[in-house]
Amino acid sequence: MTDHVRDLRSVREATDRLLTAVAKLDNAALAEESHLPGWTRGHVLAHLARNADALVNVFEGRPMYESATARDADIERDAGRTLEEHLTDLRDSAARFMATTEPDQDWSRTVELRNGVTDLAANVPFRRWVEVDLHHVDLNIGYELSDLPDEFTEREVDFLADRWSGRPEVPPVALVETDGRRRHTGSAGDPAVTVSGPATGLLAWLAGRGDKGASLTTSGGPLPTLPPL
């Protein structure tokens, strides 16, 4: 069962790590490329702030974003701001998100995210943790997939394996961690391909990040190409 209280603590810790790391940058560094194609570090930070506000909307029963166009426009508008402006926005938006989680509420209720996706309210804190920690890696400032907490990595591999399950464009795949833990992803049926390696390597491939399979071994066929997240 998801422990949203524990996940909220992890969100706070991840946010503190992010803010501490970003505060060491300067304005010029924010204009440099992140690991995400087409996005500077400023774009990543703008997205993180706007995602916090979007999750406030989710908790309060409003659409997560006004529209995909508005979401993209807000990120583009905010990407070129100064370091101090980004830090203030990150702190303030994070505080707004945390404030929505403090009142008593039904954590078992279903909430709506982007593109008609629904989830339990109790799972939203983990989704925010994913945004903060994975995009911290995307900033390309020295925080790597290998630096992520072990709990985060295992849970995100579980989440992404489930996300790709049932997708007809992804062949049946058996995921085998170095410690022997097995998962299934992709379309139904007996796995055509077995992908083996460390949890961080599986995360990199499933999330389209990092080495994207360089640390993995495959049998039964080549490493499948996954659709964009």
Side-chain angles (χ1 to χ4, degrees):
M1 181 179 294
T2 300
D3 184 344
H4 67 272
V5 174
R6 182 176 177 181
D7 285 346
L8 287 168
R9 286 198 300 268
S10 296
V11 171
R12 292 188 187 94
E13 292 166 0
T15 301
D16 287 345
R17 282 195 298 273
L18 174 74
L19 288 168
T20 298
V22 172
K24 297 175 183 177
L25 303 178
D26 56 27
N27 292 331
L30 296 184
E32 295 174 355
E33 292 183 358
S34 72
H35 283 313
L36 297 178
W39 271 17
T40 65
R41 293 182 178 120
H43 284 89
V44 176
L45 297 180
H47 165 63
L48 278 169
R50 300 290 68 78
N51 172 263
D53 285 337
L55 292 178
V56 170
N57 290 336
V58 168
F59 274 121
E60 296 183 349
R62 296 185 296 273
M64 186 169 179
Y65 294 100
E66 180 182 334
S67 67
T69 300
R71 170 188 176 272
D72 294 345
D74 287 347
I75 293 170
E76 195 63 41
R77 178 198 65 206
D78 296 341
R81 295 177 306 180
T82 66
L83 175 63
E84 192 54 43
E85 288 172 322
H86 275 296
L87 287 170
T88 298
D89 194 17
L90 287 167
R91 291 190 193 100
D92 291 350
S93 59
R96 288 190 293 270
F97 169 75
M98 297 303 296
T100 64
T101 70
E102 291 171 358
D104 290 336
Q105 56 191 287
D106 179 10
W107 287 94
S108 66
R109 74 188 187 278
T110 298
V111 295
E112 184 170 347
L113 302 165
R114 290 183 69 197
N115 303 320
V117 173
T118 60
D119 203 350
L120 298 179
N123 292 333
V124 173
F126 179 68
R127 286 178 176 270
R128 177 58 183 172
W129 183 12
V130 170
E131 291 288 329
V132 175
D133 247 350
L134 205 53
H135 284 314
H136 189 168
V137 174
D138 291 333
L139 283 172
N140 189 21
I141 56 175
Y143 189 66
E144 306 295 340
L145 290 173
S146 58
D147 296 317
L148 293 166
D150 290 343
E151 177 192 357
F152 173 95
T153 300
E154 292 290 349
R155 288 177 64 184
E156 184 63 354
V157 170
D158 284 340
F159 176 83
L160 292 172
D162 183 67
R163 179 168 181 164
W164 297 126
S165 291
R167 297 283 292 267
E169 68 272 37
V170 180
V173 177
L175 304 174
V176 183
E177 272 191 47
T178 304
D179 64 3
R181 181 174 178 180
R182 300 179 66 90
R183 302 173 177 87
H184 183 283
T185 194
S187 48
D190 292 334
V193 177
T194 298
V195 179
S196 306
T200 53
L202 294 174
L203 174 59
W205 173 60
L206 291 167
R209 287 170 165 86
D211 61 16
K212 299 181 183 179
S215 64
L216 303 176
T217 59
T218 62
S219 59
L223 185 68
T225 299
L226 298 175
L229 280 174

